[in-house]
Amino acid sequence: MPHSDDLTARARIRDAALAEFGAQGIAGATIRGIAKRAGVSPALVQHHFGTKEGLRAACDDHVLAYYRGTTEAAFDRGEIGDSSFLSTVYASSQPVLDYLARALVDGTPAAATVFDEMVNLTERYFADRPGLADARTRAIVYTSMRLGGLVLHQHMTRLLEVDTITDAGPRLGRATLDIVSPDLLPDGLTDQIRQALDNYEKEEER
C-alpha cells in the first residue's frame, strides 16, 4: 500500500499536470514543466506516473471521476439545490475546466472520452417525453452547449468582462436556465437551482 506522503505527492503532481496541460496543451507540456509546477523533481513525476502519457491518462481519469461524482451528488442525492454544493463545485472545478477546455480545442482522445461520458451521464436524467426529441439527441445537444462555453470562454470572457471559468458561475447558471426549456429537467428542479444560486450569492456577499 502506498505511503500517505506518496498519495499526497501523487495528487499534487496530478493537479500540476491538469494545470500545465490546460495552459500548454498535451503536446506543449513537459515532465520538467509539470515537476516545476508541482515543486518536485522530474524523477518523482516519473516514479508515480512513468511517462507524460501516463500523466495524461491519470488526468483523464480524474476529470471523469469529478464529473461522475458531481453529477451523482447533484441529481441522485439531490444536492443541486444546496448552495453549499454549488460553493464546493465552484471552488474545485477550475483545474478540471481549464484542462477540459484545452483538450476540447486540441481535439485529443481525452476530450472525446469526456464528451461521450458526459452525454451518457446527461441522458440518464433526460426522460423521453411526447413532443420532444429523443433523450439521446437532447443529451448530445445539451452537452455540446455546455462544453461549447469552455471552447469559447475567451470570447465569452471578453464580452461579459468577467472570467467565465473562474468568476461567472451563478451568472452563467441563470442564463442557462433562462435558455433551456424546463421540460428538459425533472419537475421543480429549475426552481431549486435558481434558489440555490440566490442563496450562494447571498452567502458570498457576507
Side-chain angles (χ1 to χ4, degrees), residues 167-200:
D167 300 315
R171 186 176 178 183
L172 296 182
R174 286 196 184 89
T176 301
L177 292 175
D178 290 342
I179 293 169
V180 172
S181 169
D183 290 337
L184 279 174
L185 303 174
D187 293 339
L189 185 57
T190 298
D191 291 337
Q192 289 182 38
I193 297 173
R194 287 190 190 279
Q195 186 61 56
L197 290 169
D198 290 344
N199 292 340
Y200 168 81

Side-chain angles (χ1 to χ4, degrees), residues 59-158:
C59 289
D60 290 350
D61 289 344
H62 178 70
V63 169
L64 289 172
Y66 180 88
Y67 271 102
R68 290 188 193 110
T70 54
T71 300
E72 289 169 2
F75 298 107
D76 294 345
R77 298 199 296 274
E79 296 178 21
I80 188 65
D82 186 342
S83 60
S84 64
F85 170 77
L86 294 180
S87 180
T88 299
V89 171
Y90 290 148
S92 64
S93 63
Q94 182 179 352
V96 171
L97 296 178
D98 286 340
Y99 174 83
L100 187 52
R102 186 58 183 255
L104 289 164
V105 170
D106 290 348
T108 66
T113 300
V114 172
F115 183 88
D116 292 354
E117 178 73 9
M118 289 184 67
V119 168
N120 293 336
L121 287 170
T122 302
E123 187 180 4
R124 289 171 51 192
Y125 305 99
F126 282 5
D128 285 318
R129 298 191 182 187
L132 299 180
D134 64 276
R136 180 71 174 175
T137 299
R138 283 183 281 136
I140 292 170
V141 172
Y142 184 70
T143 300
S144 299
M145 290 170 57
R146 289 182 62 194
L147 295 183
L150 290 180
V151 174
L152 297 171
H153 78 274
Q154 290 182 336
H155 299 288
M156 294 174 66
T157 294
R158 174 172 52 81

